[in-house]
Amino acid sequence: VLTIGGIVIAIAGYFIYVIILEKIKEAATKAADERMEYSSALIFTQIGYEYWYDYSIRQTRDMNDLNQAINLTEIAYSRYAKNLDERKYERLICSIKNNLAYYYAARQSPNDRPIAKEFADYIEKRASKYPEDRAEWIDTVKFVRQQYP
């Protein structure tokens, strides 16, 4: 009886070990995927900003630079940031939406109007949570409203 009991306990222990190991692997994979999504969103946002910097600050006024800034930042948002937990990564999502809203307003395409306004409203509602970004985000909101009255 003791031998059979020991075998049952050993088998149950093994199955519990396997289940726990799988849960740990799933959690680790999910965390790695989330980190990759976050990092990719940051990278595409930064590269998009570099194109915006050339367009605006260096004043190339080359529409290709502006369009490339928009395309790369759209990739950051649609491919990566949309997959992130909004509560955990709200600041990054706000930054991406801020940049896109500003870029769209600078491009002044009538097709961009609804999304630029939507993103401006989004960041305006959250600006008070992030005092270090608030001034920049409010400038974007004002610029969007100026460009798309």
Side-chain angles (χ1 to χ4, degrees):
V1 171
L2 289 176
T3 304
I4 293 173
I7 292 171
V8 169
I9 291 172
I11 291 171
Y14 173 75
F15 283 116
I16 291 171
Y17 166 78
V18 168
I19 290 169
I20 291 172
L21 183 62
E22 284 303 311
K23 294 291 183 185
I24 290 171
K25 284 180 183 178
E26 285 176 25
T29 300
K30 183 179 178 185
D33 289 348
E34 183 178 84
R35 195 71 191 155
M36 182 64 85
E37 299 280 324
Y38 175 80
S39 298
S40 297
L42 275 176
I43 290 167
F44 276 93
T45 301
Q46 185 59 41
I47 296 170
Y49 180 79
E50 293 300 322
Y51 277 96
W52 165 253
Y53 188 85
D54 286 345
Y55 173 80
S56 180
I57 308 301
R58 291 191 182 138
Q59 298 184 350
T60 64
R61 298 297 181 209
D62 182 351
M63 286 304 289
N64 290 327
D65 286 342
L66 178 57
N67 288 327
Q68 191 66 2
I70 291 169
N71 291 337
L72 290 165
T73 310
E74 284 175 340
I75 290 170
Y77 179 66
S78 63
R79 258 192 229 166
Y80 303 108
K82 273 188 168 180
N83 300 328
L84 295 171
D85 179 352
E86 189 171 1
R87 291 166 297 172
K88 188 174 177 183
Y89 296 102
E90 184 179 59
R91 184 173 181 210
L92 172 63
I93 293 167
C94 285
S95 292
I96 292 170
K97 287 184 175 187
N98 173 74
N99 290 4
L100 280 171
Y102 200 95
Y103 302 163
Y104 291 144
R107 184 164 66 180
Q108 294 182 303
S109 169
N111 296 336
D112 296 335
R113 176 190 212 107
I115 193 81
K117 291 181 118 187
E118 175 189 328
F119 286 175
D121 291 343
Y122 181 91
I123 59 174
E124 183 178 37
K125 289 176 186 168
R126 290 155 179 84
S128 62
K129 291 184 188 179
Y130 305 97
E132 62 278 10
D133 299 311
R134 186 179 188 286
E136 177 186 337
W137 294 355
I138 296 303
D139 284 345
T140 296
V141 171
K142 290 176 184 174
F143 183 61
V144 169
R145 289 186 179 147
Q146 175 189 349
Q147 299 300 95
Y148 296 120

